[in-house]
Amino acid sequence: MPMPTEERVSQLVAGLVERRGFDLEGVSISAAGTAHAKVKVTVDSDEAAPLNAVADLSSDISEILDEAGDFGETPYLLEVTTPGIDRPLTELRHWRRARGRKVKVTLRTGAQSPEEKGKPRFEARVGAATEQDVALVLGGKRNPHRVTVPLADIEFAVVQVEFSPPGAAELELAGGVAPGRPQPGAQELPEGDEVDDVDDEVEAVEDEAAVSDSPTEGIVE
């Protein structure tokens, strides 16, 4: 029996994810070279999600997939996770949730750079974002100053790992860190919170090595 498509799984779980106060950021399915099919569901919310909320969501998603029966007799590993900090900023909600964080920006060809030297790639700290543009703080700790860049001019942007806190002036110009989001400058890893679910069993295990964006990892035997 062929496995369901990612679009099909997205349709099955989207309503539940929304009712729980999350945004469905993506679904991926892979099976090559593994004993189980692997279904990864990535969700996000305005505030950092507690592990128990992600675990409950994982259990309920598993029930929905089992009831649908699209996997037939194929065993599958369900992983429900929040995005890592290395997730590209592609939606307005991503920019708003990244306020206060340092990002690496690549402008589209032909767009005017806010950098003095006109570089199409640069680092900045995210400020307030609207439907049309985003405020970016350039200059780092030494010479922080705020500019506004149209979102349409940005081809690619991704949050950067920081190992030291930002300057007070640049963070103030950015408008502070988005509510419920970790402070920049702590030790960070690029993966999000994960809860794995093989069929109907969920076991969450704390990973002491990760903090802020990735405090836990789910492992199921």
Side-chain angles (χ1 to χ4, degrees), residues 21-23 44-49 93-94 96-98 178-182:
F22 292 95
D23 295 308
D44 201 8
S45 60
D46 285 338
E47 297 187 1
R93 63 177 181 271
H94 300 164
R96 287 175 172 169
R97 291 167 183 169
R181 294 286 159 166

Side-chain angles (χ1 to χ4, degrees), residues 52-73:
N52 60 343
V54 178
D56 289 344
L57 179 63
S58 177
S59 180
D60 290 343
I61 287 176
S62 180
E63 288 185 12
I64 287 177
L65 297 182
D66 289 345
E67 290 175 0
D70 288 36
F71 285 91
E73 298 300 320

Side-chain angles (χ1 to χ4, degrees), residues 108-139:
R108 64 172 177 80
T109 301
Q112 183 177 359
S113 174
E115 282 274 280
E116 292 181 2
K117 297 181 180 180
K119 295 179 179 179
R121 296 182 181 87
F122 55 89
E123 290 189 346
R125 195 164 299 280
V126 180
T130 69
E131 295 281 354
Q132 289 75 37
D133 49 44
V134 59
L136 298 175
V137 180
L138 305 176

Side-chain angles (χ1 to χ4, degrees), residues 102 125 137-144 162-170:
K102 181 186 290 186
R125 195 164 299 280
V137 180
L138 305 176
K141 296 180 181 180
R142 294 184 178 182
N143 182 33
E162 298 183 71
F163 296 100
S164 61
E170 61 173 325

Side-chain angles (χ1 to χ4, degrees), residues 6-69:
E6 294 169 355
E7 181 180 3
R8 165 64 174 166
V9 173
S10 297
Q11 292 172 347
L12 287 171
V13 306
L16 171 64
V17 170
E18 182 178 355
R19 289 194 298 273
R20 294 297 177 83
F22 292 95
D23 295 308
L24 180 62
E25 296 290 351
V27 170
S28 63
I29 302 175
S30 60
T34 62
H36 303 85
K38 183 174 181 179
V39 183
K40 182 176 181 179
V41 179
T42 304
V43 300
D44 201 8
S45 60
D46 285 338
E47 297 187 1
L51 176 61
N52 60 343
V54 178
D56 289 344
L57 179 63
S58 177
S59 180
D60 290 343
I61 287 176
S62 180
E63 288 185 12
I64 287 177
L65 297 182
D66 289 345
E67 290 175 0

